[in-house]
Short mmCIF file of all heavy atoms in Angstrom, two decimals:
data_model
loop_
_atom_site.label_atom_id
_atom_site.label_comp_id
_atom_site.label_asym_id
_atom_site.label_seq_id
_atom_site.Cartn_x
_atom_site.Cartn_y
_atom_site.Cartn_z
N TYR A 192 15.28 -0.82 -3.51
CA TYR A 192 14.84 -1.88 -2.59
C TYR A 192 13.35 -1.73 -2.29
O TYR A 192 12.58 -2.70 -2.29
CB TYR A 192 15.63 -1.81 -1.27
CG TYR A 192 17.08 -2.22 -1.39
CD1 TYR A 192 18.02 -1.77 -0.45
CD2 TYR A 192 17.52 -3.05 -2.40
CE1 TYR A 192 19.36 -2.13 -0.55
CE2 TYR A 192 18.85 -3.40 -2.52
CZ TYR A 192 19.76 -2.93 -1.57
OH TYR A 192 21.08 -3.30 -1.69
N SER A 193 12.95 -0.47 -2.01
CA SER A 193 11.55 -0.20 -1.73
C SER A 193 10.68 -0.53 -2.93
O SER A 193 9.62 -1.17 -2.80
CB SER A 193 11.38 1.29 -1.35
OG SER A 193 10.03 1.62 -1.17
N LEU A 194 11.12 -0.11 -4.10
CA LEU A 194 10.37 -0.39 -5.33
C LEU A 194 10.36 -1.90 -5.63
O LEU A 194 9.32 -2.44 -6.03
CB LEU A 194 11.03 0.36 -6.49
CG LEU A 194 10.25 0.39 -7.82
CD1 LEU A 194 8.94 1.14 -7.65
CD2 LEU A 194 11.10 1.06 -8.90
N GLY A 195 11.47 -2.55 -5.39
CA GLY A 195 11.56 -3.99 -5.63
C GLY A 195 10.64 -4.78 -4.69
O GLY A 195 10.06 -5.78 -5.10
N TYR A 196 10.51 -4.30 -3.46
CA TYR A 196 9.61 -4.98 -2.52
C TYR A 196 8.17 -4.89 -2.98
O TYR A 196 7.43 -5.89 -2.94
CB TYR A 196 9.76 -4.35 -1.13
CG TYR A 196 8.79 -4.89 -0.12
CD1 TYR A 196 8.85 -6.20 0.31
CD2 TYR A 196 7.78 -4.08 0.40
CE1 TYR A 196 7.93 -6.71 1.24
CE2 TYR A 196 6.86 -4.58 1.31
CZ TYR A 196 6.95 -5.88 1.72
OH TYR A 196 6.03 -6.37 2.63
N MET A 197 7.77 -3.71 -3.48
CA MET A 197 6.41 -3.57 -4.02
C MET A 197 6.20 -4.46 -5.24
O MET A 197 5.15 -5.03 -5.46
CB MET A 197 6.11 -2.11 -4.34
CG MET A 197 5.89 -1.25 -3.12
SD MET A 197 5.41 0.44 -3.52
CE MET A 197 7.00 1.11 -4.04
N GLY A 198 7.27 -4.55 -6.06
CA GLY A 198 7.21 -5.42 -7.22
C GLY A 198 7.06 -6.88 -6.82
O GLY A 198 6.32 -7.65 -7.47
N PHE A 199 7.72 -7.27 -5.73
CA PHE A 199 7.61 -8.63 -5.22
C PHE A 199 6.17 -8.93 -4.78
O PHE A 199 5.61 -9.98 -5.11
CB PHE A 199 8.57 -8.83 -4.06
CG PHE A 199 8.35 -10.11 -3.29
CD1 PHE A 199 8.76 -11.33 -3.83
CD2 PHE A 199 7.75 -10.10 -2.03
CE1 PHE A 199 8.55 -12.51 -3.12
CE2 PHE A 199 7.54 -11.27 -1.33
CZ PHE A 199 7.93 -12.48 -1.87
N LEU A 200 5.56 -7.98 -4.06
CA LEU A 200 4.16 -8.16 -3.62
C LEU A 200 3.23 -8.28 -4.84
O LEU A 200 2.31 -9.10 -4.86
CB LEU A 200 3.73 -7.00 -2.74
CG LEU A 200 4.42 -6.84 -1.38
CD1 LEU A 200 3.85 -5.62 -0.65
CD2 LEU A 200 4.23 -8.09 -0.53
N ALA A 201 3.48 -7.42 -5.84
CA ALA A 201 2.65 -7.47 -7.04
C ALA A 201 2.80 -8.80 -7.76
O ALA A 201 1.83 -9.37 -8.27
CB ALA A 201 3.01 -6.32 -7.96
N LEU A 202 4.02 -9.31 -7.81
CA LEU A 202 4.30 -10.59 -8.48
C LEU A 202 3.60 -11.72 -7.75
O LEU A 202 3.01 -12.62 -8.38
CB LEU A 202 5.80 -10.83 -8.56
CG LEU A 202 6.24 -12.09 -9.35
CD1 LEU A 202 5.75 -11.98 -10.79
CD2 LEU A 202 7.75 -12.24 -9.30
N VAL A 203 3.65 -11.72 -6.42
CA VAL A 203 2.97 -12.77 -5.63
C VAL A 203 1.46 -12.70 -5.89
O VAL A 203 0.80 -13.72 -6.07
CB VAL A 203 3.28 -12.60 -4.14
CG1 VAL A 203 2.41 -13.57 -3.30
CG2 VAL A 203 4.75 -12.86 -3.87
N SER A 204 0.91 -11.46 -5.92
CA SER A 204 -0.52 -11.30 -6.20
C SER A 204 -0.87 -11.85 -7.57
O SER A 204 -1.90 -12.49 -7.77
CB SER A 204 -0.91 -9.82 -6.11
OG SER A 204 -0.71 -9.31 -4.83
N LEU A 205 0.00 -11.57 -8.56
CA LEU A 205 -0.23 -12.03 -9.91
C LEU A 205 -0.24 -13.55 -9.98
O LEU A 205 -1.12 -14.17 -10.61
CB LEU A 205 0.85 -11.47 -10.83
CG LEU A 205 0.84 -11.98 -12.28
CD1 LEU A 205 -0.46 -11.61 -12.99
CD2 LEU A 205 2.03 -11.39 -13.04
N VAL A 206 0.72 -14.18 -9.33
CA VAL A 206 0.82 -15.65 -9.36
C VAL A 206 -0.39 -16.29 -8.68
O VAL A 206 -1.01 -17.21 -9.23
CB VAL A 206 2.13 -16.12 -8.68
CG1 VAL A 206 2.14 -17.63 -8.53
CG2 VAL A 206 3.33 -15.67 -9.49
N VAL A 207 -0.76 -15.79 -7.49
CA VAL A 207 -1.90 -16.36 -6.78
C VAL A 207 -3.19 -16.14 -7.57
O VAL A 207 -4.03 -17.04 -7.68
CB VAL A 207 -2.03 -15.72 -5.38
CG1 VAL A 207 -3.28 -16.24 -4.66
CG2 VAL A 207 -0.79 -16.03 -4.54
N ALA A 208 -3.36 -14.94 -8.13
CA ALA A 208 -4.56 -14.64 -8.92
C ALA A 208 -4.61 -15.50 -10.18
O ALA A 208 -5.68 -15.93 -10.60
CB ALA A 208 -4.60 -13.17 -9.28
N TYR A 209 -3.45 -15.75 -10.78
CA TYR A 209 -3.41 -16.59 -11.98
C TYR A 209 -3.92 -17.99 -11.70
O TYR A 209 -4.68 -18.56 -12.47
CB TYR A 209 -1.99 -16.62 -12.52
CG TYR A 209 -1.83 -17.49 -13.76
CD1 TYR A 209 -2.20 -17.00 -15.01
CD2 TYR A 209 -1.34 -18.78 -13.67
CE1 TYR A 209 -2.06 -17.79 -16.14
CE2 TYR A 209 -1.20 -19.59 -14.79
CZ TYR A 209 -1.56 -19.08 -16.03
OH TYR A 209 -1.43 -19.88 -17.14
N PHE A 210 -3.51 -18.54 -10.57
CA PHE A 210 -3.95 -19.89 -10.22
C PHE A 210 -5.44 -19.92 -9.89
O PHE A 210 -6.10 -20.96 -9.96
CB PHE A 210 -3.14 -20.44 -9.04
CG PHE A 210 -1.77 -20.90 -9.44
CD1 PHE A 210 -0.64 -20.26 -8.95
CD2 PHE A 210 -1.59 -21.97 -10.30
CE1 PHE A 210 0.64 -20.67 -9.30
CE2 PHE A 210 -0.33 -22.39 -10.65
CZ PHE A 210 0.80 -21.74 -10.18
N GLY A 211 -5.98 -18.75 -9.47
CA GLY A 211 -7.40 -18.70 -9.09
C GLY A 211 -8.31 -18.21 -10.20
O GLY A 211 -9.50 -18.03 -9.99
N ARG A 212 -7.75 -17.99 -11.40
CA ARG A 212 -8.54 -17.34 -12.46
C ARG A 212 -9.66 -18.24 -12.99
O ARG A 212 -10.63 -17.76 -13.59
CB ARG A 212 -7.62 -16.95 -13.61
CG ARG A 212 -7.13 -18.11 -14.45
CD ARG A 212 -5.98 -17.74 -15.37
NE ARG A 212 -5.66 -18.81 -16.32
CZ ARG A 212 -5.00 -19.91 -15.98
NH1 ARG A 212 -4.63 -20.11 -14.73
NH2 ARG A 212 -4.75 -20.83 -16.91
N LYS A 213 -9.54 -19.58 -12.82
CA LYS A 213 -10.55 -20.50 -13.36
C LYS A 213 -11.53 -20.98 -12.30
O LYS A 213 -12.27 -21.94 -12.54
CB LYS A 213 -9.86 -21.70 -14.00
CG LYS A 213 -9.05 -21.35 -15.27
CD LYS A 213 -8.50 -22.57 -15.95
CE LYS A 213 -7.75 -22.19 -17.22
NZ LYS A 213 -7.18 -23.37 -17.91
N LEU A 214 -11.55 -20.31 -11.16
CA LEU A 214 -12.54 -20.66 -10.14
C LEU A 214 -13.94 -20.34 -10.65
O LEU A 214 -14.09 -19.54 -11.58
CB LEU A 214 -12.25 -19.89 -8.85
CG LEU A 214 -10.94 -20.24 -8.13
CD1 LEU A 214 -10.77 -19.34 -6.91
CD2 LEU A 214 -10.91 -21.70 -7.73
N PRO A 215 -14.97 -20.92 -10.05
CA PRO A 215 -16.34 -20.59 -10.45
C PRO A 215 -16.58 -19.08 -10.39
O PRO A 215 -15.93 -18.36 -9.66
CB PRO A 215 -17.19 -21.33 -9.42
CG PRO A 215 -16.34 -22.47 -8.99
CD PRO A 215 -14.92 -21.96 -9.02
N ASP A 216 -17.56 -18.61 -11.15
CA ASP A 216 -17.76 -17.18 -11.32
C ASP A 216 -18.11 -16.44 -10.03
O ASP A 216 -18.02 -15.22 -9.96
CB ASP A 216 -18.85 -16.92 -12.35
CG ASP A 216 -18.32 -16.99 -13.77
OD1 ASP A 216 -17.12 -17.28 -13.93
OD2 ASP A 216 -19.08 -16.79 -14.69
N ALA A 217 -18.56 -17.15 -9.04
CA ALA A 217 -18.83 -16.47 -7.75
C ALA A 217 -17.54 -15.91 -7.17
O ALA A 217 -17.57 -15.04 -6.33
CB ALA A 217 -19.47 -17.45 -6.77
N PHE A 218 -16.40 -16.46 -7.64
CA PHE A 218 -15.10 -16.02 -7.11
C PHE A 218 -14.22 -15.42 -8.21
O PHE A 218 -13.01 -15.42 -8.11
CB PHE A 218 -14.37 -17.21 -6.48
CG PHE A 218 -15.18 -17.94 -5.44
CD1 PHE A 218 -15.94 -19.03 -5.80
CD2 PHE A 218 -15.22 -17.49 -4.13
CE1 PHE A 218 -16.70 -19.70 -4.85
CE2 PHE A 218 -15.98 -18.14 -3.19
CZ PHE A 218 -16.72 -19.26 -3.53
N ASN A 219 -14.85 -14.92 -9.30
CA ASN A 219 -14.09 -14.55 -10.47
C ASN A 219 -13.34 -13.24 -10.37
O ASN A 219 -12.81 -12.75 -11.35
CB ASN A 219 -14.99 -14.53 -11.70
CG ASN A 219 -15.98 -13.38 -11.69
OD1 ASN A 219 -16.17 -12.71 -10.66
ND2 ASN A 219 -16.63 -13.14 -12.80
N GLU A 220 -13.28 -12.60 -9.20
CA GLU A 220 -12.49 -11.38 -9.05
C GLU A 220 -11.01 -11.65 -9.28
O GLU A 220 -10.26 -10.74 -9.63
CB GLU A 220 -12.69 -10.77 -7.66
CG GLU A 220 -12.16 -9.37 -7.52
CD GLU A 220 -12.46 -8.75 -6.18
OE1 GLU A 220 -12.48 -9.50 -5.19
OE2 GLU A 220 -12.66 -7.54 -6.14
N ALA A 221 -10.60 -12.91 -9.15
CA ALA A 221 -9.20 -13.28 -9.41
C ALA A 221 -8.82 -12.96 -10.84
O ALA A 221 -7.67 -12.63 -11.12
CB ALA A 221 -8.98 -14.76 -9.11
N ARG A 222 -9.77 -13.06 -11.76
CA ARG A 222 -9.46 -12.76 -13.15
C ARG A 222 -9.13 -11.28 -13.32
O ARG A 222 -8.19 -10.91 -14.03
CB ARG A 222 -10.64 -13.12 -14.05
CG ARG A 222 -11.02 -14.60 -13.96
CD ARG A 222 -12.25 -14.88 -14.77
NE ARG A 222 -12.68 -16.28 -14.60
CZ ARG A 222 -13.76 -16.80 -15.17
NH1 ARG A 222 -14.52 -16.03 -15.94
NH2 ARG A 222 -14.08 -18.06 -14.97
N PHE A 223 -9.94 -10.43 -12.70
CA PHE A 223 -9.69 -9.00 -12.79
C PHE A 223 -8.39 -8.62 -12.11
O PHE A 223 -7.67 -7.74 -12.59
CB PHE A 223 -10.85 -8.21 -12.17
CG PHE A 223 -12.20 -8.56 -12.77
CD1 PHE A 223 -13.31 -8.79 -11.97
CD2 PHE A 223 -12.34 -8.63 -14.14
CE1 PHE A 223 -14.53 -9.09 -12.52
CE2 PHE A 223 -13.57 -8.93 -14.72
CZ PHE A 223 -14.68 -9.16 -13.90
N ILE A 224 -8.11 -9.26 -10.99
CA ILE A 224 -6.85 -8.99 -10.29
C ILE A 224 -5.66 -9.41 -11.13
O ILE A 224 -4.63 -8.72 -11.17
CB ILE A 224 -6.84 -9.71 -8.93
CG1 ILE A 224 -7.89 -9.08 -7.99
CG2 ILE A 224 -5.46 -9.62 -8.28
CD1 ILE A 224 -8.02 -9.79 -6.67
N THR A 225 -5.78 -10.51 -11.85
CA THR A 225 -4.71 -10.97 -12.74
C THR A 225 -4.38 -9.92 -13.78
O THR A 225 -3.22 -9.55 -14.01
CB THR A 225 -5.09 -12.29 -13.43
OG1 THR A 225 -5.38 -13.29 -12.46
CG2 THR A 225 -3.95 -12.77 -14.33
N PHE A 226 -5.41 -9.38 -14.43
CA PHE A 226 -5.20 -8.35 -15.46
C PHE A 226 -4.60 -7.09 -14.81
O PHE A 226 -3.70 -6.47 -15.40
CB PHE A 226 -6.53 -8.00 -16.14
CG PHE A 226 -7.01 -9.05 -17.10
CD1 PHE A 226 -8.26 -9.61 -16.96
CD2 PHE A 226 -6.19 -9.49 -18.13
CE1 PHE A 226 -8.71 -10.61 -17.84
CE2 PHE A 226 -6.62 -10.47 -19.02
CZ PHE A 226 -7.89 -11.04 -18.87
N SER A 227 -5.11 -6.70 -13.66
CA SER A 227 -4.62 -5.49 -13.01
C SER A 227 -3.15 -5.63 -12.62
O SER A 227 -2.35 -4.69 -12.78
CB SER A 227 -5.45 -5.15 -11.78
OG SER A 227 -5.27 -6.09 -10.74
N MET A 228 -2.74 -6.79 -12.14
CA MET A 228 -1.36 -7.01 -11.77
C MET A 228 -0.44 -7.10 -12.99
O MET A 228 0.73 -6.68 -12.94
CB MET A 228 -1.23 -8.29 -10.93
CG MET A 228 -1.76 -8.16 -9.52
SD MET A 228 -0.80 -6.97 -8.51
CE MET A 228 -1.84 -5.53 -8.59
#
């Protein structure tokens, strides 16, 4: 359950970062977060 909860947080981060990956380069940390997740 504990591991699954962390996986859920990571999945949410991945989804949000994926949608933000094409933002202008001033905000391009979303791309790095996508790869890290």
Side-chain angles (χ1 to χ4, degrees):
Y192 290 156
S193 175
L194 190 64
Y196 174 67
M197 287 185 284
F199 169 75
L200 294 180
L202 184 61
V203 173
S204 298
L205 174 61
V206 171
V207 176
Y209 178 81
F210 284 115
R212 73 194 189 285
K213 293 185 178 180
L214 294 177
D216 278 2
F218 306 94
N219 70 347
E220 193 175 33
R222 300 176 185 178
F223 304 134
I224 292 176
T225 302
F226 286 125
S227 68
M228 287 295 101

